[in-house]
Amino acid sequence: MECVFCRIVAGELPSDILYQDKQIMAFRDINPLAPIHVLIIPRRHIASLAELSDNETSIIGRMAAVANKLARQEGIAEKGYRLVVSSGREGGQVVPHLHMHLLGGRRLSDRLC
Ligand code: 5GP
Ligand code: ZN
C-alpha cells in the first residue's frame, strides 16, 4: 500500500486521530499551517475530488459535518475557520487521497491563494 492516508487508515502509520466512524477519519496534520489544522478523509481510497463519482457526493457533506463538529470541539466554531479541498496538481493537492483541511485558531489570510 503506497498511499500515506490509506496507511494511516490501516493503522500502519501513527496519527493523532480526533474522529472516526465507518466512512470517515480525522487526524491532525503532521505539518500544521495554523494552530488548528485537521485533515478529514474518507476511509475508502478516492484519489481526489475530481475522481468522486456522482453517486458518492454525500461523503463530502459528511466530511463537512465532521469538520464542523471538530471545530466546535476545538473551540474555533464561533470565531471562524476555513475548509479547503485541493484537487489535482495545479490545485495544490500533494497527497492523492481525497481530504478536507480544517484550518483555524488564528486570523487566516483574506487572500484565498
Ligand atoms: P494537500 O497539499 O495534498 O492538500 O495536503 C496534504 C497534507 O497532508 C499536508 O498538509 C501534509 O502536511 C499532510 N500530511 C502528509 N503526510 C502526512 C502524514 O503522514 N501524517 C499526517 N498527519 N499528515 C500528513
Ligand atoms: Zn489512499
Side-chain angles (χ1 to χ4, degrees):
M1 206 191 307
E2 286 187 13
C3 172
V4 66
F5 289 173
C6 281
R7 294 188 66 196
I8 286 175
V9 169
E12 290 176 18
L13 280 181
S15 65
D16 188 354
I17 297 168
L18 298 182
Y19 177 87
Q20 49 186 333
D21 63 27
K22 270 187 180 172
Q23 291 181 306
I24 289 168
M25 231 177 123
F27 48 88
R28 292 193 198 279
D29 196 293
I30 204 169
N31 182 26
L33 300 175
I36 307 296
H37 188 171
V38 179
L39 299 170
I40 300 109
I41 69 168
R43 282 180 181 277
R44 196 170 83 72
H45 182 87
I46 300 167
S48 72
L49 189 63
E51 306 279 318
L52 193 65
S53 61
D54 284 351
N55 64 6
E56 55 187 2
T57 52
S58 63
I59 195 75
I60 286 290
R62 295 213 173 93
M63 289 160 68
V66 169
N68 193 15
K69 174 189 167 74
L70 291 176
R72 285 197 298 274
Q73 196 174 298
E74 296 289 313
I76 58 171
E78 282 198 12
K79 280 190 171 174
Y81 58 86
R82 183 172 293 168
L83 301 182
V84 177
V85 178
S86 303
S87 187
R89 193 171 50 83
E90 286 207 359
Q93 184 182 7
V94 174
V95 176
H97 181 131
L98 175 63
H99 53 280
M100 184 179 274
H101 298 257
L102 165 64
L103 295 155
R106 67 168 167 81
R107 181 73 169 94
L108 299 173
S109 165
D110 293 336
R111 293 174 62 94
L112 197 54
C113 61

